[in-house]
Amino acid sequence: MDTDETLPLSQRSEWSDVVPLTQDDGPNPVVPIAYKDEFRETMDYFRAIYSSDERSPRALRLTEETLRLNSGNYTVWHFRRLVLEALNHDLYQELEFIESIAEDNSKNYQLWHHRRWVAEKLGPDVAGRELEFTRRVLSLDAKHYHAWSHRQWALRALGGWEDELDYCHELLEADVFNNSAWNQRYYVITRSPSSGGVEAMRESEVSYTIKAILTNPANESSWLYLKALYKDNKELWISDPSVSSVCLNVLSRTDCFHGFALSTLLDLLCEGLSPTNEHIDSVRALATEEPDTNLANLVCTILGRVDPIRANYWAWRKSKITVAAM
Amino acid sequence: MEELPRITVSQREQFLVENDVFGIYGYFDASDISTQKYMMEIQRDKQLDYLMKGLRQLGPQFSSLDSNRPWLCYWILQSIALLGESVDDELENNAIDFIGRCQGSDGGYGGGPGQLPHLATTYAAVNALVTLGGDKALSSINREKMSCFLRRMKDTSGGFRMHDMGEMDVRACYTAISVASILNIMDDELTRSLGDYILSCQTYEGGIGGEPGSEAHGGYTYCGLATMFLINEVDRLNLDSLMNWAVHRQGVEMGFQGRTNKLVDGCYTFWQAAPCVLLQRFYSAHDLVHHGSSHISQGTDEDHEDHVHDEDYPEDSDDDDSDEDSDEGSVNGHGVHHTSTYINRRIQPVFDSLGLQRYVLLCSKIPDGGFRDKPRKPRDFYHTCYCLSGLSVAQHAWSKDEDTPPLTRDILGSYSNLLEPVHLLHNVVMDRYNEAMEYFFKAP
């Protein structure tokens, strides 16, 4: 059998029995693509076996050729899954196939969905491999959305949580602005079966986060994460001295952006924090405007100045405080 | 020897983009008035040229989008509609015919003729047909079969899968519900537990991710929020944190980023600004009912604080510092008299709309036609669609409702830059949406 893949399909004896099926574009299609001959021909042969539902080894090989020409063709991926099942094909080999496609084009929904499908069938045995694969992709792009989704799925479905928090730390050491890594931290502490949940992890996480905040007060990720640690316990958030003190610490510095410290303080006040003299003095020191008796109002005013992109938003926030206080 | 502070990948990338963007802004600011005028112009002729060419023929490099052709139709037709134009009868018929060939025999539309029906391409096909408008386009949609298709895609968890055995995420939910809503085939089966699923995708940051646990992301935030509006469960989300997250996605470049600490991208002009407007209008409508306080006192803070953009735009002949109050009785360039009721139908957008428009017009727009993600990136039809759609959202952001046209001062550049308003939950031009409503919701 002639399976020489450098020959056009129409010239391969292996395919001589198949009548290629042309695309039913109609007489005057819009958005017509000037396909190269190889592309057109491969798709014509795919259409033929898809239409006849041929789930054979040569069909499998053809889907591979087709996917190398257009890895976005979800119909082909779907059919490939049907063929893999029909042939009871080695799914470990399939993982390698996916990796080879990912080399050229990792930003492709279909590829990742296919990977998930394969890994799910193989089960916990491939937990390590999936973590390794996503780690590789993330080493090239530490914020790769599909890779993170897949990694989260793998942890959930296959396990391997033990080193995940360390991995997050590793990424944050390299780039503390990596919001995906912060998001993953939250994922681990809330979902890992071995974590005691936010309650158990709060103290160490707060300490970790405050350190990050003080090193880079303009890093929005760390402030958002800090607030997240008290998501289900607002009373603790407004009463925990660590939270208040990190705000005050940043506000007392002259060399950094105060926006996040101020907005955190604003949120605390809106949640019911009773401001101490320290809070009041700290904020007043930054005010160039007429000090407002309502501290939250004053914070909004200052924010309108130090975070001018969101001037309208801070004014809107201020108006909501006024209404709420009425 | 003092060690230089190490900068991270995020910082470095951000720095490079800022350089490019501020370089453009600096060049603009230093240019003479006629150059500035030229740079601010949408360049309608060039845009239409680019769009019409794409509709008629695409090169072989588009083979990678061979499973996304209804998207190409929608991106191009939507862009044309936003510019207030339409295609000729022949092209319209060709488009209806082609999209029809993407329709599956069991309902839904695939990425091309003979391809498996897929929710995203279904959304694109329906939106493209709605944008074309007219009986021929609208009647070509098989609604019964579409119902069956949507039901098949529904998952027991409450979410939707993109296609048979396909991936499940917030995008699939939105595309399904948007279609069901426009075609008037919504039912309890489709909406069951859907709110629960989307709620589980709202993250600690306030934005919404693609799947439960995933990072908050502009595209998914739009999809999640729009879906919740369409199924009337918006108030289940933490709206305060969603609003806070969304407005913080506007950066120093004045465009929007998709995620915290990532780079600005023109397409997020739509994905992030639309939620800002939707939420602001929701709060506004909600407050009126909830607090029952007098409208004037609400209005005082919202409408009359005039936070004016600092830059001097030569085209803007309006008095920038005038309080909105003084517009009473004045006339804008189109002879519309402002009355006090008109003022109460305006709000001050929570995001910097003029700044956003500036990013789109100076950094995303390609003078030869098309729009791009950011400087140094090539143009494409996806970015053209979402930059223009987002620009429309920004231009109309001061209006509380669709019957309140923008003022000259709301439009960056000349008033001729004004685009058609869109329906925020579907991203089709308002007029076409209204026509579709007439068609699909008429009494039998």
Side-chain angles (χ1 to χ4, degrees):
Chain A
M1 253 202 289
D2 187 359
T3 55
D4 185 352
E5 289 183 0
T6 60
L7 280 181
L9 284 153
S10 54
Q11 290 174 33
R12 295 185 220 167
S13 55
E14 186 192 11
W15 289 98
S16 56
D17 62 303
V18 171
V19 178
L21 205 52
T22 53
Q23 183 161 266
D24 179 25
D25 249 13
N28 293 300
V30 290
V31 297
I33 299 169
Y35 307 114
K36 295 208 168 108
D37 288 340
E38 186 196 1
F39 187 95
R40 183 190 308 277
E41 188 184 63
T42 309
M43 286 312 302
D44 287 348
Y45 275 85
F46 172 75
R47 271 183 280 271
I49 51 134
Y50 182 61
S51 147
S52 65
D53 200 12
E54 184 188 314
R55 305 186 190 184
S56 66
R58 72 174 177 179
L60 189 67
R61 284 195 300 276
L62 184 59
T63 61
E64 176 172 340
E65 277 191 58
T66 313
L67 290 170
R68 289 196 189 283
L69 291 171
N70 175 18
S71 60
N73 195 321
Y74 60 90
T75 305
V76 178
W77 282 108
H78 169 79
F79 187 67
R80 187 176 171 91
R81 283 189 279 279
L82 298 177
V83 177
L84 287 168
E85 280 187 324
L87 299 179
N88 202 19
H89 192 81
D90 181 343
L91 293 178
Y92 283 92
Q93 265 185 41
E94 191 63 7
L95 290 178
E96 281 173 29
F97 167 68
I98 297 168
E99 276 155 40
S100 74
I101 300 274
E103 251 163 59
D104 290 326
N105 184 7
S106 71
K107 296 241 163 122
N108 165 314
Y109 283 100
Q110 291 74 39
L111 182 152
W112 288 96
H113 174 65
H114 191 74
R115 181 93 189 183
R116 197 181 289 204
W117 180 86
V118 174
E120 185 160 37
K121 280 185 174 287
L122 289 172
D125 277 350
V126 296
R129 187 164 175 165
E130 293 317 284
L131 293 181
E132 186 47 48
F133 175 59
T134 50
R135 178 190 263 266
R136 263 207 318 278
V137 175
L138 292 168
S139 71
L140 299 170
D141 173 1
K143 303 182 185 182
H144 195 297
Y145 204 82
H146 296 293
W148 278 115
S149 281
H150 187 73
R151 196 174 172 92
Q152 288 192 342
W153 170 83
L155 287 166
R156 200 163 63 232
L158 310 173
W161 295 91
E162 309 77 52
D163 302 318
E164 196 62 11
L165 215 50
D166 285 343
Y167 178 58
C168 292
H169 177 62
E170 197 187 306
L171 292 171
L172 290 172
E173 280 277 272
D175 185 356
V176 74
F177 298 91
N178 185 341
N179 195 65
S180 308
W182 284 103
N183 184 73
Q184 188 71 347
R185 268 199 104 82
Y186 190 77
Y187 188 74
V188 174
I189 66 171
T190 51
R191 309 262 191 149
S192 168
S194 52
S195 140
V198 181
E199 287 298 327
M201 304 287 294
R202 184 178 289 121
E203 206 182 315
S204 56
E205 287 300 295
V206 166
S207 166
Y208 182 89
T209 310
I210 285 178
K211 208 157 152 241
I213 289 174
L214 293 175
T215 318
N216 278 290
N219 180 10
E220 193 175 353
S221 295
S222 49
W223 288 97
L224 289 164
Y225 187 76
L226 181 66
K227 186 170 180 183
L229 295 169
Y230 298 88
K231 199 152 86 82
D232 298 315
N233 196 337
K234 292 290 157 133
E235 298 77 42
L236 187 58
W237 188 48
I238 60 182
S239 62
D240 191 335
S242 326
V243 177
S244 233
S245 73
V246 71
C247 293
L248 291 169
N249 184 315
V250 171
L251 290 176
S252 70
R253 288 162 59 163
T254 51
D255 63 341
C256 68
F257 178 67
H258 295 132
F260 300 125
L262 286 167
S263 63
T264 301
L265 186 57
L266 177 64
D267 289 344
L268 288 164
L269 291 168
C270 291
E271 278 295 336
L273 172 77
S274 293
T276 63
N277 284 331
E278 217 189 329
H279 290 121
I280 296 168
D281 292 341
S282 199
V283 171
R284 291 234 173 118
L286 296 173
T288 60
E289 304 81 357
E290 201 44 56
D292 208 301
T293 44
N294 182 324
L295 193 63
N297 267 14
L298 182 58
V299 173
C300 285
T301 304
I302 298 170
L303 275 165
R305 181 173 37 83
V306 312
D307 187 17
I309 296 168
R310 275 161 280 284
N312 290 354
Y313 172 67
W314 299 121
W316 180 82
R317 285 289 298 270
K318 192 197 278 192
S319 75
K320 285 186 74 233
I321 297 168
T322 312
V323 168
M326 271 164 28
Chain B
M1 178 85 160
E2 207 179 270
E3 205 184 285
L4 292 168
R6 186 169 58 96
I7 75 166
T8 71
V9 171
S10 295
Q11 287 174 308
R12 181 176 178 274
E13 299 208 334
Q14 175 62 22
F15 177 74
L16 292 171
V17 171
E18 282 183 30
N19 266 8
D20 285 342
V21 168
F22 292 138
I24 291 173
Y25 289 157
Y27 175 80
F28 176 87
D29 290 342
S31 297
D32 59 56
I33 298 228
S34 64
T35 307
Q36 289 187 338
K37 238 184 153 81
Y38 173 77
M39 287 175 79
M40 276 293 166
E41 268 301 310
I42 273 188
Q43 307 293 344
R44 282 161 183 278
D45 289 344
K46 290 275 162 61
Q47 298 304 336
L48 285 161
D49 213 42
Y50 171 64
L51 294 163
M52 296 302 296
K53 284 208 169 81
L55 204 52
R56 294 205 150 93
Q57 184 64 63
L58 297 166
Q61 71 275 22
F62 281 86
S63 297
S64 59
L65 289 175
D66 190 36
S67 298
N68 298 79
R69 289 172 70 199
W71 275 117
L72 286 159
C73 289
Y74 165 65
W75 294 330
I76 292 172
L77 291 169
Q78 163 72 347
S79 299
I80 292 171
L82 285 164
L83 292 164
E85 299 289 335
S86 47
V87 297
D88 64 43
D89 289 346
E90 192 192 339
L91 216 44
E92 181 178 316
N93 284 328
N94 291 344
I96 296 169
D97 178 81
F98 171 71
I99 294 171
R101 286 166 198 273
C102 296
Q103 188 161 208
S105 51
D106 289 329
Y109 293 80
Q115 295 183 34
L116 200 62
H118 187 293
L119 274 176
T121 45
T122 297
Y123 167 84
V126 169
N127 270 11
L129 290 166
V130 165
T131 303
L132 287 166
D135 275 10
K136 187 161 186 227
L138 301 178
S139 66
S140 71
I141 305 171
N142 187 327
R143 289 163 71 243
E144 289 79 52
K145 289 271 161 70
M146 181 67 80
S147 263
C148 298
F149 171 63
L150 296 180
R151 292 224 178 106
R152 278 205 315 278
M153 297 304 106
K154 178 80 176 176
D155 186 83
T156 46
S157 67
F160 284 83
R161 295 195 172 276
M162 279 295 197
H163 58 82
D164 279 336
M165 291 162 48
E167 66 271 24
M168 174 162 60
D169 61 28
V170 167
R171 204 173 62 126
C173 297
Y174 168 67
T175 50
I177 293 301
S178 175
V179 163
S181 169
I182 280 194
L183 299 182
N184 191 14
I185 51 176
M186 275 273 245
D187 67 39
D188 291 340
E189 204 183 311
L190 294 178
T191 59
R192 187 176 310 129
S193 305
L194 181 54
D196 296 339
Y197 178 76
I198 293 176
L199 210 56
S200 73
C201 293
Q202 182 172 25
T203 82
Y204 67 86
E205 291 191 71
I208 298 173
E211 296 176 77
S214 295
E215 192 182 358
H217 180 291
Y220 294 117
T221 297
Y222 170 80
C223 289
L225 185 63
T227 306
M228 292 301 257
F229 268 105
L230 289 168
I231 64 174
N232 207 11
E233 292 186 37
V234 164
D235 48 6
R236 296 182 64 192
L237 291 163
N238 183 333
L239 297 178
D240 285 351
S241 68
L242 212 167
M243 171 71 102
N244 190 72
W245 177 84
V247 302
H248 276 83
R249 302 290 56 80
Q250 185 168 28
V252 294
E253 309 90 341
M254 300 319 280
F256 276 103
Q257 65 190 178
R259 300 181 251 167
T260 306
N261 281 333
K262 285 212 79 183
L263 302 174
V264 67
D265 180 335
C267 69
Y268 292 112
T269 309
F270 179 77
W271 302 124
Q272 301 285 28
C276 289
V277 175
L278 282 165
L279 283 172
Q280 195 174 3
R281 287 183 187 170
F282 181 79
Y283 272 101
S284 176
H286 207 67
D287 276 348
L288 281 169
V289 173
H290 184 68
H291 289 283
S293 40
S294 94
H295 186 59
I296 304 296
S297 68
Q298 288 285 143
T300 308
D301 283 332
E302 282 189 317
D303 297 349
H304 296 176
E305 284 213 62
D306 207 10
H307 292 275
V308 168
H309 212 66
D310 280 336
E311 280 83 341
D312 208 50
Y313 298 111
E315 291 73 32
D316 191 358
S317 54
D318 282 345
D319 178 3
D320 275 349
D321 296 329
S322 70
D323 191 3
E324 295 252 4
D325 247 347
S326 67
D327 275 340
E328 270 190 76
S330 72
V331 180
N332 75 2
H334 287 234
V336 173
H337 284 263
H338 300 166
T339 63
S340 54
T341 39
Y342 183 86
I343 300 306
N344 288 343
R345 282 153 59 197
R346 285 174 63 82
I347 51 177
Q348 201 63 229
V350 285
F351 63 100
D352 187 333
S353 173
L354 289 173
L356 181 63
Q357 295 180 47
R358 184 172 220 232
Y359 178 79
V360 173
L361 291 172
L362 295 183
C363 298
S364 281
K365 187 201 72 200
I366 308 253
D368 263 353
F371 288 75
R372 64 191 172 185
D373 161 352
K374 57 170 68 66
R376 295 181 200 262
K377 293 283 173 97
R379 67 185 179 180
D380 60 54
F381 294 111
Y382 163 80
H383 282 93
T384 302
C385 171
Y386 288 102
C387 282
L388 283 170
S389 301
L391 191 57
S392 166
V393 172
Q395 292 173 343
H396 291 88
W398 282 264
S399 309
K400 260 188 187 165
D401 54 61
E402 67 186 85
D403 297 318
T404 315
L407 299 177
T408 318
R409 71 173 60 196
D410 302 345
I411 315 301
L412 196 65
S414 69
Y415 203 75
S416 64
N417 273 356
L418 179 63
L419 299 171
E420 296 298 306
V422 299
H423 189 293
L424 290 170
L425 300 177
H426 302 285
N427 198 25
V428 292
V429 159
M430 213 54 223
D431 283 346
R432 310 296 160 90
Y433 171 80
N434 289 332
E435 195 195 327
M437 284 300 99
E438 280 277 315
Y439 187 87
F440 293 117
F441 283 77
K442 67 185 172 214

